Amino acid sequence: MTAEARWLAGLEERARERLAPAVLEYLLQGARDSVTTGEAVDAWRSVRFRPRVLHDVTHVDPGVTLLGRRSELPFGVAPTTLQRAVHPEGELAMATATAEAGGVMVVSSNAGTSFADIAATGVRWWLQAYLPADRTLAEPMLDRAVAAGAEAVVLTVDTPVVGTKYASPDVPVVWTTVDPDLLRSNFDEGYDDQPGAEKALDLGPHDIGWLAARTGLPVVVKGVLRAEDAERSVQAGAAAVWVSNHGGRQLDRAAATASCLPDVVAAVGGRAQVYVDGGIRTGLDVLAALALGADAVFLGRLPLLALVEGAPGVASVHRELLAQTVDALRLAGCRAATDARNLL
Ligand SMILES: Cc1cc2nc3c(=O)[nH]c(=O)nc-3n(C[C@H](O)[C@H](O)[C@H](O)COP(=O)(O)O)c2cc1C
């Protein structure tokens, strides 16, 4: 392994040395028996390529178009809660490194940093939202995101309830150890205590149209694993669907995203963009996702673990993963990320 690849592969081990046990467990845990979390990485590794040859790969362009705008990276940062528990600069460090790399960051609605401060880093960012039972309670937070320049809203649809995690008996639950100020900085004071603030159990396609109308932004539907749900999302006005099982943190034994992606692409590809996340750890995984038809991939735990080392850690993830992706594209005979389609 090169020193850089070793650095990337060693993120979890180094985070283990530096993070409080409760925070580390929060980052790594999956729902229930972690079957889905455990299968994600291997699902990408089992994809096999038929590389093209006799193509000029002197210049390789790994950039992609995300919702009509170019991203220098074929991967973006997925929304994750508690970034400030990983590093005091939290979302600001994540945003600064992602802005420098020319990528897109999706900001969790649970973020512990104000949207305006994140936007001030110059990062191109999208808001991730969960909708509450009483939709009107989400409006002030949505308005703040729009005012701070969010370019899209990512509606997470796989979380009618939060998936049960089995905590290790000797590690305290993270919520009992972290400062509440590290969470939900963009909601009104006392938000969680209001009736109707619990997560919506009745989310439907109409919420996609409602969100688009309320914010005036394109809506990305995150947490789709089935072709017909992708179709329903697009018919309801989604600009993109995001194939995700929430990193295995919701329904345990949900299928690997690598195996769901082709059906979703077949159903809505060309009419809407298709993104994917879950278990992406190397440039070869990025190539596999592009080959299976994704327009871009998103990274959850990888930049989050790198955030232990602050903005320079996240910058190194972007740099090394991009270098690995360019290498993989070149070896596969692709001059651009978009050439990676149908390499199987
Ligand atoms: C610690 C942690 C917190 C997360 N928080 C959120 C969140 O607030 N909103 C959301 O839509 N997804 C959340 N996710 C899911 C990620 O956006 C993403 O779907 C998943 O992490 C991708 O898998 P990966 O970690 O293997 O890359 C979280 C994931 C992790 C690991």
Side-chain angles (χ1 to χ4, degrees):
M1 243 193 230
T2 62
E4 292 82 6
R6 223 179 5 257
W7 178 87
L8 194 68
L11 283 177
E12 185 178 321
E13 207 178 303
R14 290 195 306 282
R16 197 171 289 282
E17 287 160 12
R18 292 171 66 170
L19 286 179
V23 176
L24 180 79
E25 179 161 278
Y26 173 70
L27 266 51
L28 300 180
Q29 66 191 173
R32 302 282 179 187
D33 298 320
S34 295
V35 172
T36 297
T37 303
E39 287 176 350
V41 173
D42 283 345
W44 296 115
R45 289 174 77 106
S46 69
V47 174
R48 294 292 174 271
F49 308 112
R50 291 163 198 249
R52 299 193 185 100
V53 294
L54 302 174
H55 289 281
D56 179 354
V57 288
T58 312
H59 302 289
V60 172
D61 177 7
V64 293
T65 301
L66 289 178
L67 298 179
R69 266 190 70 185
R70 181 175 163 85
S71 161
E72 299 302 324
L73 307 176
F75 44 84
V77 174
T80 50
T81 299
L82 275 190
Q83 296 185 11
R84 287 183 59 207
V86 176
H87 190 278
E89 287 163 21
E91 287 86 3
L92 290 183
M94 190 76 91
T96 302
T98 304
E100 275 167 15
V104 169
M105 172 170 167
V106 184
V107 175
S108 171
S109 46
N110 290 330
T113 306
S114 82
F115 295 148
D117 288 348
I118 293 169
T121 64
V123 76
R124 182 180 169 200
W125 70 285
W126 300 348
L127 168 73
Q128 174 270 327
Y130 296 108
L131 288 184
D134 177 352
R135 309 295 194 269
T136 61
L137 295 181
E139 290 176 353
M141 186 272 294
L142 294 172
D143 292 348
R144 278 175 199 129
V146 173
E151 287 184 21
V153 186
V154 175
L155 174 63
T156 300
V157 294
D158 58 14
T159 311
V161 291
V162 176
T164 299
K165 322 285 189 308
Y166 298 147
S168 309
D170 45 346
V171 175
V173 176
V174 74
W175 311 115
T176 63
T177 64
V178 299
D179 177 350
D181 279 357
L182 303 184
L183 269 175
R184 295 176 169 286
S185 299
N186 296 283
F187 287 88
D188 293 337
E189 192 80 21
Y191 171 86
D192 286 312
D193 304 327
Q194 300 172 90
E198 66 281 4
K199 290 198 168 64
L201 288 168
D202 61 348
L203 220 53
H206 56 277
D207 286 301
I208 298 168
W210 177 80
L211 256 186
R214 187 73 181 82
T215 61
L217 297 175
V219 176
V220 179
V221 180
K222 174 174 183 277
V224 172
L225 294 175
R226 302 181 61 87
E228 78 264 23
D229 287 337
E231 183 63 48
R232 289 164 73 221
S233 301
V234 172
Q235 284 195 4
V241 292
W242 180 328
V243 177
S244 175
N245 55 33
H246 216 113
R249 297 163 76 87
Q250 284 299 108
L251 177 67
D252 196 22
R253 305 193 196 178
T257 52
S259 62
C260 298
L261 176 60
D263 285 350
V264 171
V265 171
V268 301
R271 286 184 292 143
Q273 289 211 295
V274 179
Y275 312 136
V276 69
D277 73 15
I280 301 280
R281 301 291 180 266
T282 68
L284 286 167
D285 301 336
V286 177
L287 182 68
L290 297 173
L292 290 170
D295 291 296
V297 309
F298 281 86
L299 314 170
R301 293 179 182 87
L302 213 56
L304 196 54
L305 290 166
L307 186 60
V308 174
E309 298 170 37
V314 178
S316 297
V317 161
H318 291 332
R319 198 171 40 246
E320 174 56 12
L321 200 63
L322 186 64
Q324 289 187 11
T325 304
V326 168
D327 183 62
L329 286 167
R330 191 168 266 139
L331 287 167
C334 300
R335 262 183 292 207
T338 42
D339 289 346
R341 224 156 247 220
N342 304 324
L343 268 183
L344 311 180

